[in-house]
Structures are given as structure tokens and as C-alpha cells.
Amino acid sequence: SLLQKNVLNRKRWETRSELRLAITTWIERSYHRKRRQRALGRLTPIEFETIKNAASAA
């Protein structure tokens, strides 16, 4: 329902490629960056990258 409210209902899309780009962008920016990932030890991708970068800098 978040995709529906935040992307699909915001405007009328001229082409399918515009809509596809909008959906992909929303998923990559909003959903995947906030969602905790099992493969990353229940961390969000941003949390995982922060820990990884701090460990490599030390």
C-alpha cells in the first residue's frame, strides 16, 4: 500500500518506462534502505555499511 500511495497515486504517468523508473527509484531509496535484512544480521543496509566502513578505517 505504501507503493500505491507514494508512487502510483501521485501523478499520471505518460509511459510505462517512466512508471518503471519511478517504482524502481522509490524501492531503492525508501524501502530497501530502511528494511532490516536477514543476510546482514538484521541491520539495515545503511547500518551495515556504517559498521563495515568504521571497521575497515580502524
Side-chain angles (χ1 to χ4, degrees), residues 11-55:
K11 72 176 214 174
R12 187 156 180 89
W13 304 97
E14 297 295 323
T15 64
R16 284 181 178 237
S17 61
E18 286 181 1
L19 177 58
R20 184 179 300 123
L21 180 62
I23 291 171
T24 303
T25 302
W26 181 82
I27 290 171
E28 289 299 320
R29 285 187 182 162
S30 303
Y31 186 70
H32 284 309
R33 295 189 181 267
K34 295 177 185 173
R35 185 171 163 255
R36 296 191 180 278
Q37 305 287 324
R38 183 182 303 160
L40 302 179
R42 302 296 297 156
L43 298 172
T44 66
I46 293 176
E47 292 169 339
F48 180 78
E49 289 294 324
T50 302
I51 291 169
K52 181 180 169 187
N53 290 339

